[in-house]
Amino acid sequence: MMLSRVAERVYWSGRYLERVANTARLVSIYETLLLDLPKTVKLSWYNLIIINDLEEAYNERYSVRSERNVVKFLLGDEDNSSSLINSLTAVRENVRTTRDVVPEEAWEMICELTLYVQDNLELGINRRSRHEFLEDVIKGCLQINGLLFGTMPHVASWEFFSIGYNFERADMTIRYLEAGLTAILQLEDDDHAVNSQQVIWGNVLRSLNATQYYLRTTRSPVKGQEVLPYLINDPHFPRSIAHCIQSIISSCGTLPQSEPIIKHLKKISKKLDEQVDFSDAGEELLESLNQLQILLTSCHFIISDIWFPND
């Protein structure tokens, strides 16, 4: 038996650790995308604020929607609860209070990564050193995840950690797809449009380390009507929404009183199977992803009601 507060902290450790890596990936890939697109294509860094539903919090802090302000807000702003530094601090605090169920080496690596980010945050804000800094953060998260997977007993504590990071991973995959669609909707209808779309979807795949497996699985060039269904429905790719949902169902199935959340997750899986016209990268498809994200977000409240009741 696990105490509900321990289960909740392990769950949030998984969510926040994945959020740290995803935030680093998002900033890094968006910067690459802006460099790859023709100079005639004008995309705003503020799109990252919109994608993460942070408009209100950002506008309270900044009046200018500049690259530096957006990157600073996403990486190091202490008033942004979802910033990279705050997410990493939350990982450390949740693991600190559950050290009896988390490997000691993981605690040490989390502390080291937190200190590195705190001491070098300005490197991530400055354009010249940003890529290397973000790569270090992503690698640090991968090392911690690998250590946990390889050494943490796959009992209830592991299942709650797994639920947390798969939940966060599915959420961020939706946000990456929304980012791609948003960028495409902002393209002008000119001679560069087709090539620009390919660049955008190529960067979405790269952000999820999916390029190699997408090409091998689909045997198709990079285009939206193939990228979207692959990242939504492929049952084998670990960052596809379908794979994350199935992993959460599997973890929940090992825990008591899981029927309500499994029923809700199967509802989401059924929605993923609905026929969608992926060739029309328009507002209707964007709204469909938004509805999917709302369904996914509601999972957290069901999980909380079942396993994390208020003391």
Side-chain angles (χ1 to χ4, degrees):
M1 290 289 293
M2 287 186 69
L3 294 174
S4 63
R5 64 176 180 272
V6 174
E8 184 173 16
R9 288 168 184 169
V10 174
Y11 162 83
W12 277 109
S13 296
R15 287 202 63 176
Y16 279 121
L17 184 60
E18 186 67 19
R19 189 174 299 179
V20 170
N22 286 333
T23 301
R25 288 176 185 273
L26 189 61
V27 173
S28 179
I29 292 299
Y30 199 78
E31 180 177 47
T32 304
L33 172 62
L34 295 180
L35 292 173
D36 288 347
L37 286 171
K39 292 182 179 180
T40 55
V41 177
K42 304 296 182 183
L43 292 182
S44 170
W45 275 90
Y46 189 72
N47 284 337
L48 297 187
I49 302 299
I50 297 172
I51 291 161
N52 286 285
D53 298 321
L54 294 169
E55 298 100 308
E56 183 177 352
Y58 179 88
N59 293 331
E60 287 177 357
R61 297 277 290 119
Y62 302 96
S63 58
V64 178
R65 299 176 178 182
S66 64
E67 173 187 345
R68 182 175 178 83
N69 284 352
V70 169
V71 173
K72 182 179 179 181
F73 183 74
L74 292 175
L75 298 186
D77 198 311
E78 294 183 357
D79 291 325
N80 171 16
S81 60
S82 296
S83 69
L84 187 147
I85 188 64
N86 278 343
S87 296
L88 193 50
T89 300
V91 175
R92 187 176 65 176
E93 182 60 21
N94 280 290
V95 171
R96 184 187 67 80
T97 54
T98 55
R99 289 175 63 184
D100 56 329
V101 298
V102 176
E104 183 177 347
E105 295 90 341
W107 162 248
E108 293 172 356
M109 291 172 68
I110 290 165
C111 288
E112 289 173 3
L113 183 59
T114 304
L115 288 173
Y116 171 76
V117 171
Q118 289 173 340
D119 292 343
N120 297 281
L121 189 59
E122 194 62 30
L123 295 177
I125 296 172
N126 291 331
R127 184 185 296 176
R128 180 175 299 180
S129 52
R130 185 181 301 152
H131 180 75
E132 184 177 354
F133 170 82
L134 294 174
E135 281 295 304
D136 287 342
V137 172
I138 294 167
K139 288 177 183 177
C141 291
L142 288 172
Q143 289 173 341
I144 294 165
N145 268 324
L147 176 67
L148 291 170
F149 182 84
T151 62
M152 190 172 177
H154 287 203
V155 292
S157 54
W158 166 259
E159 302 300 348
F160 279 111
F161 180 86
S162 180
I163 290 169
Y165 83 71
N166 274 300
F167 182 94
E168 193 71 27
R169 182 172 285 186
D171 178 81
M172 188 53 75
T173 296
I174 294 174
R175 294 184 191 275
Y176 281 128
L177 295 176
E178 288 179 330
L181 283 171
T182 300
I184 284 171
L185 288 171
Q186 293 180 15
L187 293 177
E188 295 182 8
D189 187 12
D190 58 21
D191 294 338
H192 301 290
V194 174
N195 288 337
S196 295
Q197 287 186 24
Q198 188 174 33
V199 169
I200 289 168
W201 290 121
N203 274 277
V204 170
L205 287 170
R206 197 177 305 133
S207 69
L208 297 168
N209 293 121
T211 307
Q212 175 183 349
Y213 306 106
Y214 164 83
L215 294 173
R216 179 183 296 174
T217 302
T218 66
R219 300 192 180 279
S220 165
V222 176
K223 51 187 178 181
Q225 58 263 45
E226 297 291 345
V227 172
L228 281 157
Y230 176 76
L231 293 178
I232 291 173
N233 286 315
D234 188 88
H236 307 296
F237 182 62
R239 292 185 178 274
S240 79
I241 300 168
H243 186 278
C244 291
I245 296 300
Q246 191 54 51
S247 295
I248 298 171
I249 290 173
S250 178
S251 291
C252 289
T254 68
L255 300 170
Q257 302 175 319
S258 60
E259 291 83 3
I261 183 61
I262 290 178
K263 182 179 179 181
H264 185 75
L265 289 164
K266 287 183 177 179
K267 180 180 178 182
I268 297 176
S269 292
K270 187 175 180 180
K271 184 172 179 59
L272 295 179
D273 291 334
E274 292 178 357
Q275 293 296 317
V276 177
D277 182 9
F278 291 109
S279 64
D280 181 16
E283 293 286 352
E284 185 175 343
L285 187 53
L286 194 59
E287 178 58 25
S288 178
L289 286 173
N290 184 54
Q291 292 302 314
L292 180 60
Q293 192 164 47
I294 291 171
L295 277 174
L296 188 64
T297 300
S298 63
C299 290
H300 168 71
F301 300 104
I302 300 173
I303 290 170
S304 295
D305 288 342
I306 298 171
W307 291 305
F308 313 144
N310 294 326
D311 294 333

